[in-house]
Amino acid sequence: FELNERANQIGNFLRENHTVKPNDLIGIVLDRSANLIISILGVLKSGAAYVPIDPNYPQERIDFIIADSDCKFTIGDNFFNLFNATEYSKEDLDRVNSTNDLAYVIYTSGTTGQPKGVMVEHRNLVNLCYWHASSFEVDANSRGTLFSGVGFDASVWEIFPYLVNGSSLYPIKNDEIRLNINEFSNFIKNNKISHCYLPSVICNEVANSEIDFNNVKFLTGGEALKIDTVSNLEIYNNYGPTENTIVSTFYKLKPNEIGAISIGRPISNTHIYILDEELNIVPIGVCGKLYISGAGLSRGYLNKPELTAEKFLDNPFEVGTKMYDTGDLARWLPDGNIEFLGRKDFQVKIRGKVIERYERNI
């Protein structure tokens, strides 16, 4: 109740002072905290979309994102010093958005090193939330963590499926807790956490530890997962580019499964194509490039129409839709799961012939 009222005040502030409207962008330069969640919800209630910016980024990168996104206003720590001394209406705001309006724009360097903003709409995010809640049994009794840096798209995934289902959210503010496995274990147990996202490297470390994490669902992703030691943890490996709203495929590890882990099967309302250079479907077991289409596909790149046209192609398998060229290599396995094989970028030519170097574990 208090969270909703505080978010309403932010929304009313933005409408009264900055006349925001759908698809306007508001920057948020805050670390993992209650104020971060209040700000995100307040921006969405105002009708605008938010641009998450990690305050730990170099100032040059922060300035670039704010300028490139043409943020109408930016919320940082200093904002709350002023805002807390003022009074805006706590009443719910009239909804002005449609499902096709932007929910957020998140910047990713991708493989080029040049920051680019990915435009994600409300309908994309709603699809993710419904799939997540159904697949991982999220309800009002669930307790999730916010582990990721706010500039990483996994933070979106850690926040919304829990808030929309009335769950509790526990931001892990302290890096000593995030990066010290004993402190992390205490945090999980003391707060009775039921769901926790971890980057692949840290998930492997947790799985290799002898600490007992009973009744916790660990969700991981971000890079290829390899489990080195037999573990009885409940782990779900997830794959997906920012351009397809964070998660595109997922896989529940079998008991005591080790080695390179499959990225699984498509999530709800998502299609995966593994194609050759001529965009023909390759047979099971044959390497090809991975393309994605469906309800999670974002609007494209902010201010980069040429790059959007290059990466978001007309879908030859479903007229009137687009598919995203991930640049990743993969193959279908006989059991219907997908094996990730690395980046298409890892190509070399010898005497004019392309030689592929598959990176299973990056």
Side-chain angles (χ1 to χ4, degrees), residues 127-128 131 153 157 237-251 263-272 290-294 296-298 324 326 328 332 338:
N127 185 72
L128 179 78
W131 162 77
D153 66 349
W157 185 33
N237 190 30
N238 300 268
Y239 162 86
T242 304
E243 290 83 350
N244 194 59
T245 316
I246 311 159
V247 183
S248 304
T249 69
F250 81 119
Y251 173 79
I263 60 172
R265 306 182 185 210
I267 72 167
S268 300
N269 304 310
T270 298
H271 304 287
I272 300 294
L290 193 154
Y291 296 79
I292 308 169
S293 71
L297 204 61
S298 70
Y324 173 68
T326 67
D328 291 334
W332 288 105
I338 299 169

Side-chain angles (χ1 to χ4, degrees), residues 25-317:
L25 299 180
I26 305 295
I28 300 178
V29 190
L30 294 169
D31 215 335
R32 296 172 297 274
S33 63
N35 281 344
L36 170 70
I37 306 303
I38 292 168
S39 299
I40 289 173
L41 294 179
V43 170
L44 295 178
K45 281 173 174 286
S46 77
Y50 76 100
V51 182
I53 307 170
D54 194 321
N56 299 303
Y57 281 162
Q59 189 61 45
E60 182 181 1
R61 183 177 174 89
I62 293 174
D63 293 341
F64 172 85
I65 293 174
I66 292 173
D68 186 69
S69 59
D70 193 22
C71 287
K72 205 162 191 179
F73 184 73
T74 301
I75 297 173
D77 285 323
N78 290 338
F79 166 78
F80 280 92
N81 296 334
L82 247 126
F83 181 75
N84 289 336
T86 60
E87 190 67 29
Y88 286 88
S89 172
K90 298 178 180 179
E91 296 300 314
D92 288 327
L93 291 81
D94 294 333
R95 184 169 64 85
V96 296
N97 300 90
S98 75
T99 58
N100 295 321
D101 288 325
L102 291 179
Y104 65 88
V105 172
I106 198 161
Y107 275 75
T108 173
S109 292
T111 56
T112 66
Q114 176 64 40
K116 51 187 184 289
V118 178
M119 300 182 286
V120 176
E121 298 173 348
H122 284 276
R123 61 187 181 87
N124 306 139
L125 184 54
V126 167
N127 185 72
L128 179 78
C129 290
Y130 272 100
W131 162 77
H132 184 106
S134 173
S135 298
F136 303 124
E137 300 175 310
V138 176
D139 58 28
N141 297 314
S142 300
R143 294 171 172 234
T145 57
L146 175 53
F147 185 97
S148 303
V150 299
F152 181 41
D153 66 349
S155 65
V156 178
W157 185 33
E158 293 181 86
I159 294 169
F160 285 100
Y162 300 94
L163 293 186
V164 300
N165 284 284
S167 311
S168 300
L169 185 64
Y170 290 79
I172 306 179
K173 306 177 197 177
N174 193 330
D175 278 346
E176 279 188 21
I177 296 173
R178 294 173 68 246
L179 304 178
N180 181 304
I181 194 163
N182 292 316
E183 294 294 330
F184 172 75
S185 170
N186 291 334
F187 183 92
I188 295 295
K189 291 174 182 176
N190 292 341
N191 293 294
K192 299 179 181 178
I193 298 299
S194 61
H195 297 73
C196 179
Y197 166 82
L198 294 174
S200 304
V201 172
I202 296 178
C203 184
N204 195 22
E205 181 183 351
V206 169
N208 291 340
S209 75
E210 296 181 357
I211 299 173
D212 186 10
F213 289 97
N214 280 334
N215 304 315
V216 180
K217 290 179 171 65
F218 285 103
L219 319 178
T220 189
E223 57 186 24
L225 177 65
K226 182 180 180 183
I227 299 295
D228 299 321
T229 304
V230 168
S231 169
N232 62 356
L233 298 183
E234 185 175 352
I235 299 176
Y236 297 83
N237 190 30
N238 300 268
Y239 162 86
T242 304
E243 290 83 350
N244 194 59
T245 316
I246 311 159
V247 183
S248 304
T249 69
F250 81 119
Y251 173 79
K252 182 179 181 181
L253 274 67
K254 299 180 179 70
N256 302 323
E257 187 171 2
I258 61 172
I261 305 300
S262 166
I263 60 172
R265 306 182 185 210
I267 72 167
S268 300
N269 304 310
T270 298
H271 304 287
I272 300 294
Y273 307 104
I274 300 179
L275 310 176
D276 63 18
E277 294 290 342
E278 284 74 43
L279 301 184
N280 297 310
I281 295 174
V282 301
I284 293 172
V286 175
C287 174
K289 192 152 62 164
L290 193 154
Y291 296 79
I292 308 169
S293 71
L297 204 61
S298 70
R299 190 184 292 183
Y301 300 112
L302 182 68
N303 303 326
K304 295 184 181 295
E306 296 85 1
L307 183 61
T308 298
E310 176 188 335
K311 299 293 286 183
F312 292 79
L313 311 176
D314 289 334
N315 185 351
F317 308 102

